[in-house]
Amino acid sequence: MRGAIACAFLTMFATATASADDGGLRDLCPDRPGKGTSACTVDSGHFQLEVDAFDGAFQREGGVTTDTYFVANPTLKYGLSDDLDIEASLAPLETIRTHDASGSETETGIGDLFLRGKLNIAGNEGGAWGIAIEPFLKIPTARRDIGNGAMEGGALVPLSFDLGGGWSLGSTPEIDVLRNESGSGYHADIINVLGIGRAFGDHVTLGAEAWASSDLDPAGSTQSYSIDFDVAWQPDNDIQLDGGINLGLNRATPGAQVYAGISRRF
């Protein structure tokens, strides 16, 4: 409940401080849709709210089916300068349902709190390419039956390339530091996303991504892969509506994940 109240307060605060004048602002550049991350940051002095209206992932492994749902999963960003923003995200409602031949079990509660900072090195003002550095910290606010109760973190290096003719290429190499499954010590999870996008006019973009993760837990490493598709529509320079589907390529990856959401700059 405290997490839901905090998210609602942050949302209302962002709305209350909204600026009606977007003159001189850069093009809207959210980190959604898709698993990749944009290299651009929020304009100085402005908020940006990016929300999963719905997100459902469905996985079956070893005879056990796990369905995970997020509702109204917000990320709130604030531009500290033209090239640096800070970000916070916390799912106020996460539901995990597991079921097998013996029955089913459902757990519901708030998710973990993620704190991020993104520093743009190049590309915020346009050009053929962009790069940023984005460290993050996960604070375990979820119950142990939803999260793992561990402080974790990592860093991303978002890259973007303008290929011309409405085409773009992006990559997001990432390394996470995760708690070992044994509960003692930490290990690396190495992730990368390679995506291509095609803009149609000024409002619609279609994208496709290939995603891979190598979780190097000492108890046994896990490789996960997916191929993902998404669409985004920007009716104006401050709003984006989007959705997508991610298709797992092995049993360690959810077979399907579907989502839809909205981004709004204030």
Side-chain angles (χ1 to χ4, degrees), residues 211-260:
W211 173 86
S213 167
S214 296
D215 189 317
L216 306 179
D217 193 296
S221 62
T222 303
Q223 313 299 315
S224 304
Y225 308 97
S226 71
I227 185 76
D228 312 326
F229 304 93
D230 57 70
V231 59
W233 173 52
Q234 293 188 2
D236 61 39
N237 199 40
D238 291 318
I239 297 176
Q240 176 179 287
L241 303 175
D242 61 64
I245 182 169
N246 306 329
L247 303 175
L249 300 180
N250 66 352
R251 291 190 177 276
T253 313
Q257 179 181 10
V258 293
Y259 62 89

Side-chain angles (χ1 to χ4, degrees), residues 69-254:
Y69 301 94
F70 295 92
V71 177
N73 184 15
T75 296
L76 182 63
K77 305 179 178 182
Y78 179 72
L80 292 177
S81 72
D82 282 339
D83 297 316
L84 175 66
D85 68 34
I86 54 175
E87 309 174 7
S89 62
L90 184 149
L93 181 61
E94 180 176 351
T95 299
I96 301 175
R97 179 175 181 264
T98 57
H99 51 102
D100 56 20
S102 64
S104 65
E105 182 178 354
T106 301
E107 303 291 346
T108 300
I110 67 169
D112 290 317
L113 172 64
F114 288 83
L115 302 176
R116 301 172 182 269
K118 187 193 292 187
L119 175 65
N120 175 269
I121 298 173
N124 250 353
E125 305 302 331
W129 62 284
I131 182 172
I133 299 175
E134 182 176 348
F136 74 90
L137 180 67
K138 187 203 82 175
I139 299 175
T141 53
R143 301 195 316 263
R144 288 298 298 268
D145 47 13
I146 293 178
N148 66 357
M151 187 85 73
E152 297 173 332
L156 302 76
V157 182
L159 302 162
S160 64
F161 303 91
D162 185 348
L163 304 179
W167 291 91
S168 61
L169 182 68
S171 179
T172 308
E174 173 181 352
I175 184 166
D176 298 348
V177 180
L178 307 181
R179 176 69 63 86
N180 292 340
E181 186 177 353
S182 66
S184 175
Y186 286 81
H187 66 276
D189 185 5
I190 301 170
I191 302 170
N192 200 7
V193 186
L194 182 64
I196 190 164
R198 174 71 161 88
F200 295 88
D202 296 328
H203 303 290
V204 177
T205 301
L206 299 181
E209 294 178 332
W211 173 86
S213 167
S214 296
D215 189 317
L216 306 179
D217 193 296
S221 62
T222 303
Q223 313 299 315
S224 304
Y225 308 97
S226 71
I227 185 76
D228 312 326
F229 304 93
D230 57 70
V231 59
W233 173 52
Q234 293 188 2
D236 61 39
N237 199 40
D238 291 318
I239 297 176
Q240 176 179 287
L241 303 175
D242 61 64
I245 182 169
N246 306 329
L247 303 175
L249 300 180
N250 66 352
R251 291 190 177 276
T253 313

